Amino acid sequence: MATRPFDLIIFDWDGTLIDSIGTIVACTLAALDDLSLGPMPEESIRDTIGLGLEETMEKLMPDADADLRNRLRQAYFHHWVETYHGRPILFEGVDQLLVGLNREDYLLAVATGKSRRGLERDMDRVGQRQHFVTTRTVDEAASKPHPQMINDILDELGVQPERALMVGDTTYDMAMAKEAGASRLGVLTGSHSCEQLETYQPLACLSTALDIPGWLAGLAGGRPSFG
């Protein structure tokens, strides 16, 4: 049997496992429109996805005062709960991917810029909670690209950084993993291009997370046993 190249795989959520980028952009635009803040390029919004909400607002509206940010936060939550929260779905094949990785005895975790409530709601809706041994959100740790999410996961599970792989679609995922000393794998189903991701020396940029089994098998010198 081929040697498993990692013990732990940490996944980002939005844009990596769940197809939510367009929905997040639409919700953000609706919130901005509520406050008559004028048009904002969709690409600017996409570029912030993966950060915590506070960090997103700081990047999109650096001159906004606390009151305006609070009103924007409330408008975003209103639109998300009332209109958008049920729209994001898992990328096709993700359930089978996670089942296969569990079968190969990989520990799986999630590190996300979502709130705890948002992640729990998503997991309840798409039914993937059972695949993950632990999760971290911006309610328990500093926002990406700070390495705290990964460091906390490693400490909890007793895994060394060199035995962990972070899978994500943004430079924030890659920067977080690099700072934590973990390996990095980019996927191109979300916000950032391979050229952007390569700034942080990922081991590869894959088209989707569904390519992970074959890629892992290549590292281990064998064939994928699932996928």
Side-chain angles (χ1 to χ4, degrees):
M1 178 180 292
T3 302
R4 188 174 60 226
F6 301 99
D7 297 321
L8 168 66
I9 301 177
I10 305 171
F11 286 97
D12 171 56
W13 188 252
D14 291 304
T16 299
L17 296 179
I18 195 164
D19 187 4
S20 54
I21 302 302
T23 304
I24 293 171
V25 170
C27 187
T28 304
L29 289 172
L32 290 167
D33 186 61
D34 275 3
L35 301 181
S36 301
L37 293 175
M40 181 172 290
E42 291 190 12
E43 189 59 35
S44 297
I45 299 171
R46 288 175 63 92
D47 188 58
T48 66
I49 295 174
L51 298 172
L53 185 56
E54 293 297 327
E55 290 74 19
T56 294
M57 289 191 293
E58 182 176 345
K59 189 167 184 178
L60 291 177
M61 304 174 60
D63 298 326
D65 60 23
D67 177 68
L68 181 56
R69 291 186 184 183
N70 185 54
R71 288 190 289 126
L72 180 58
R73 184 188 308 107
Q74 291 176 349
Y76 182 90
F77 284 143
H78 169 77
H79 283 286
W80 188 260
V81 171
E82 294 298 321
T83 305
Y84 294 101
H85 78 274
R87 296 187 183 183
I89 60 173
L90 287 174
F91 287 113
E92 186 176 357
V94 163
D95 182 59
Q96 294 90 333
L97 168 70
L98 299 177
V99 168
L101 291 170
N102 282 159
R103 189 181 302 127
E104 295 293 311
D105 292 327
Y106 285 99
L107 297 171
L108 304 183
V110 170
T112 176
K114 299 182 82 71
S115 68
R116 171 54 59 187
R117 183 172 61 176
L119 179 63
E120 295 295 328
R121 184 190 294 122
D122 267 6
M123 284 190 161
D124 287 341
R125 184 170 55 82
V126 302
Q128 302 304 303
R129 185 189 308 276
Q130 71 276 12
H131 298 305
F132 301 102
V133 294
T134 193
T135 61
R136 287 296 186 280
T137 75
V138 291
D139 287 343
E140 300 95 41
S143 173
K144 303 171 185 178
H146 193 284
Q148 185 184 357
M149 288 189 196
I150 291 181
N151 289 339
D152 286 354
I153 290 171
L154 296 176
D155 288 345
E156 177 183 343
L157 300 178
V159 175
Q160 294 301 308
E162 61 270 18
R163 297 296 299 168
L165 175 70
M166 177 71 208
V167 180
D169 66 294
T170 71
T171 57
Y172 312 122
D173 299 313
M174 302 297 102
M176 173 179 65
K178 184 176 182 179
E179 184 65 22
S183 294
R184 303 164 292 287
L185 182 64
V187 294
L188 303 180
T189 47
S191 297
H192 292 163
S193 68
C194 187
E195 182 179 17
Q196 290 172 293
L197 299 176
E198 284 180 341
T199 304
Y200 296 93
Q201 298 85 45
L203 296 176
C205 290
L206 304 182
S207 295
T208 79
L210 302 187
D211 294 331
I212 291 173
W215 179 81
L216 287 171
L219 285 185
R223 295 183 179 180
S225 57
F226 66 97

